[in-house]
Amino acid sequence: MDEVTTAAGPRLTAVLGGVGGALLLVVAMSPDSNAGGLAPFLGLVDIGGFHGEGWALPITTIAVTGLGLALTRFWPCLLVAAGLVSIAPVLLEPPFAPASEPFPLYVAGEVRGPLALIGVLACAQGLVRRGAAGWGSAVTGLSIGAAVLGSALLGPIWVSSAGLKHDHLVMLAIGVLAQAPMLRARPRGEPEIAGPWWPRVRLPLTGMLAVAAVIPFGLLSTDQLSRLLGVGADQLQRHPLAVEGVFGAFLLVTTLILALVSGLWSFGGVLTVAITHTAVVAPLLLAITGLGLQPTTSWLATLAGIAIGAGAVAGRWRIPGAAGLAVGASVALFIAYAATGGWPQKLADQSEVVPSVVILVLIAAAATAVTGATAPVLAPRGALPTALGPLATMLGTGGIAAVATTYLGSNGEPESSFLNPVQHLNTAAILLLVAAAAIGGLGLADLLAARRAERKRTEQIRQEAAAAERDRLARPIHDGVLQVLALVQRHGSEMGGPGPELAELAGAQEVALRNLLSGHPAGGGSAREDLRTALMRLASPAIDVAAPADPVMLPGRAAGELTAAVLAALDNVRRHAGPGARVWILLEDERDGVRVTVRDDGVGFGPERLAEAAARGRLGVAQSMRGRITDLGGTTTIDSRPGEGTEVEFWVPRRSQG
């Protein structure tokens, strides 16, 4: 997303784009071209073999997934592409369709789901990373809420729903138009990830591999699978759920490994959402079948549940809210199972409206809330589109297929009823409790990690402050005590005893030290001072000072620190430049700052001299000169060569802190 989303208006524009993307996802997750078929959210993945043109479907889906994950920064473009691709099935309807179904258009219709899902999740990630965690969580919840709503639009399972409905066309139009404001803003998106290549490609690569996981299983024929499992081919044909269970187990193991490769935080989020995905299938089937004769009530109840779930995660207490809704939905399922004497299908057979509405509202709310609550954990790490997109989708698909093998009748055989999963409503209730515990654990882990990071930042700030304070105290000590001691040594060796100059300096340093210890260091006032006057006082037969004719006014502290740095440079000349060295001081009053140059014609020094002096604890340059100017926001440049003298240049910005 663009940086403009930090403002309230553009942020709402991004939210509008996410909601529009959710509408596109509703269309992708609803049965638009399968006559009486299941919505993709409820149906099974086609695990048949790939022959001829059939290879175009998985290859195109894998390529589109990888491209979408690589371009998440430009999520409005992804959503527009999803909308345009979604219109393709219209061409399959009379009078536009030819006699045979165009295979390219069929493939195009299959990739709209990945595009819309990645676009919505990328929008949510951008909102969270720009400081709108509540909005980002709500949009994330819409990713699964849209799938639930698309399934709720199924209507009676015996009624053909072939072709795009009028409400689908309306949602497509709104979804595409909602991206227009963000496209006009020309979003630059999130910054590129710097550093090694692996972190940049890990997430898109794992997402692509997750989608490609269906290919190895699809290549196996029934005979090959029977030999692999050590059973007869006729047994597999009599027990199709066994094949489905093996496929589910394979998909679970493969996707879990890929989720671990994508990162531990991604793994936790993927597992949480996939459990939720698996848990809501059976109660959703029960609710939409019970409301089959009242489709308007079905989608209104679903919208109410989505709104409740999105509202629960939009505030600060999103983790407790999500866990509470999941537990509430679980309790409702346990009650429904017990109230029907272990035969929940009665609610569907008798078209019980009130229980179906309650279940549908709670299921939609729990799924939306649990999914949305993972956003603040995954989005800062850039893992949201991959984790809740291809990884969670494939893991959820594997979970649905694996759990289906436990849906057996009283005789131990699977029932052929479409509502067979409904009879095992208690399994869905248990999975919802697991999802509640998972989101709670993920939130707790994120909280502990945030506190640990905060402690590290606090400790780093404390250490930096302590180091800065040591430097600040060392500068006056160096300029005062150490230089006076050096002067005492020179006078003691050259004159045989102290002189008047030494007594005057010692008295001045005593006052400075007392001010420092009392917390009132000299030169700390905020009044403006004339730097030109201060430097002109340094002129002597050995020191030439060139300055502008007009005063050079600076804040009191800046003028004092800059003068002290010049004095430190003069002291270095006195001690190291050699006898008879001359000094030139040039003061320049520039528009945006002040520049002072101190140049001498002494013996100079090599480039390694400063590092050696610092290693021995001689910090005149590091602290008294460079440290002072750095504190003022300025720069210090030192240029010297043996036999060519030394030039020290100080530059302080005009708006330096006084």
Side-chain angles (χ1 to χ4, degrees), residues 27-40 86 88-93 101 105-106 109-110 112 154 160-165 168:
V27 176
M29 292 291 111
S30 58
D32 55 5
S33 59
N34 298 321
L38 288 176
S86 296
V90 176
L91 302 178
L92 302 179
E93 295 300 312
E101 180 176 283
L105 290 179
Y106 173 73
E110 291 296 317
R112 59 185 177 172
L154 176 63
S160 173
S161 57
L164 281 171
K165 304 175 183 178
H168 286 175

Side-chain angles (χ1 to χ4, degrees), residues 472 512 515-516 519-529 554-561 628 632 657-658:
R472 188 184 70 82
N515 289 334
L516 182 62
H520 301 286
S526 59
R528 298 179 66 82
E529 297 183 6
L554 287 177
R557 177 172 175 266
E561 291 289 83
R628 277 193 165 96
L632 296 174
Q657 297 296 321

Side-chain angles (χ1 to χ4, degrees), residues 46-50 55 58 62 208-222 224-225 228 246-247 250-251 254 258 394:
D46 183 9
I47 56 175
F50 304 111
W55 279 102
I62 294 169
M208 293 176 61
L209 292 177
V211 177
V214 299
I215 293 181
F217 200 89
L219 293 175
L220 294 175
S221 64
T222 303
Q224 291 172 329
L225 184 60
L228 183 64
V246 173
F247 167 72
F250 170 78
L251 202 56
T254 304
L258 291 173
M394 301 311 294

Side-chain angles (χ1 to χ4, degrees), residues 3-16:
E3 295 161 348
V4 296
T5 57
T6 56
R11 180 180 296 171
L12 292 177
T13 301
V15 173
L16 176 63

Side-chain angles (χ1 to χ4, degrees), residues 169-436:
L169 293 175
V170 172
M171 285 187 284
L172 283 175
I174 296 175
V176 173
L177 292 177
Q179 314 311 317
M182 287 302 301
L183 290 175
R184 285 199 300 268
R186 298 181 181 178
R188 289 185 295 271
E190 299 293 332
E192 293 283 358
I193 301 176
W197 63 272
W198 173 242
R200 295 197 298 270
V201 304
R202 179 179 60 182
L203 292 172
L205 180 61
T206 53
M208 293 176 61
L209 292 177
V211 177
V214 299
I215 293 181
F217 200 89
L219 293 175
L220 294 175
S221 64
T222 303
D223 292 337
Q224 291 172 329
L225 184 60
S226 63
R227 288 195 298 269
L228 183 64
L229 298 177
V231 298
D234 57 337
Q235 292 178 304
L236 289 181
Q237 293 175 353
R238 289 197 304 269
H239 301 283
L241 283 182
V243 179
E244 187 177 326
V246 173
F247 167 72
F250 170 78
L251 202 56
L252 281 174
V253 172
T254 304
T255 310
L256 284 174
I257 293 174
L258 291 173
L260 277 174
V261 173
S262 67
L264 290 178
W265 291 105
S266 179
F267 176 81
V270 169
L271 199 58
T272 301
V273 174
I275 292 173
T276 306
H277 188 161
T278 306
V280 302
V281 169
L284 189 56
L285 274 174
L286 174 62
I288 64 175
T289 306
L291 295 171
L293 298 178
Q294 301 186 43
T296 302
T297 304
S298 178
W299 65 262
L300 284 177
T302 305
L303 284 177
I306 294 173
I308 293 173
V313 296
R316 294 179 53 190
W317 304 100
R318 59 182 59 91
I319 296 295
L325 285 173
V327 171
S330 175
V331 171
L333 297 185
F334 278 125
I335 293 175
Y337 186 83
T340 55
W343 192 257
Q345 188 172 338
K346 292 179 182 178
L347 299 177
D349 294 339
Q350 300 173 7
S351 298
E352 296 289 346
V353 175
V354 174
S356 298
V357 168
V358 171
I359 291 175
L360 190 53
V361 169
L362 289 176
I363 286 299
T368 301
V370 172
T371 303
T374 63
V377 179
L378 299 176
R381 298 167 175 89
L384 189 60
T386 299
L388 303 193
L391 289 177
T393 299
M394 301 311 294
L395 189 62
T397 302
I400 294 171
V403 171
T405 60
T406 66
Y407 296 158
L408 304 176
S410 57
N411 58 355
E413 296 291 332
E415 299 181 4
S416 58
S417 171
F418 168 78
L419 295 178
N420 185 35
V422 172
Q423 297 305 112
H424 306 273
L425 205 61
N426 51 353
T427 301
I430 293 173
L431 288 175
L432 281 173
L433 290 178
V434 175

Side-chain angles (χ1 to χ4, degrees), residues 11 124 126-137:
R11 180 180 296 171
L127 286 168
V128 174
R129 297 181 76 173
R130 297 296 184 179
W135 285 114
S137 299

Side-chain angles (χ1 to χ4, degrees), residues 9-90:
R11 180 180 296 171
L12 292 177
T13 301
V15 173
L16 176 63
V19 174
L23 291 177
L24 300 176
L25 196 55
V26 170
V27 176
M29 292 291 111
S30 58
D32 55 5
S33 59
N34 298 321
L38 288 176
F41 182 73
L42 300 178
L44 301 177
V45 173
D46 183 9
I47 56 175
F50 304 111
H51 307 285
E53 288 184 332
W55 279 102
L57 179 58
I59 292 176
T60 303
T61 304
I62 294 169
V64 168
T65 300
L67 183 64
L69 293 175
L71 299 177
T72 53
R73 298 182 301 149
F74 308 102
W75 57 264
C77 301
L78 296 179
L79 292 178
V80 169
L84 296 178
V85 171
S86 296
I87 300 176
V90 176

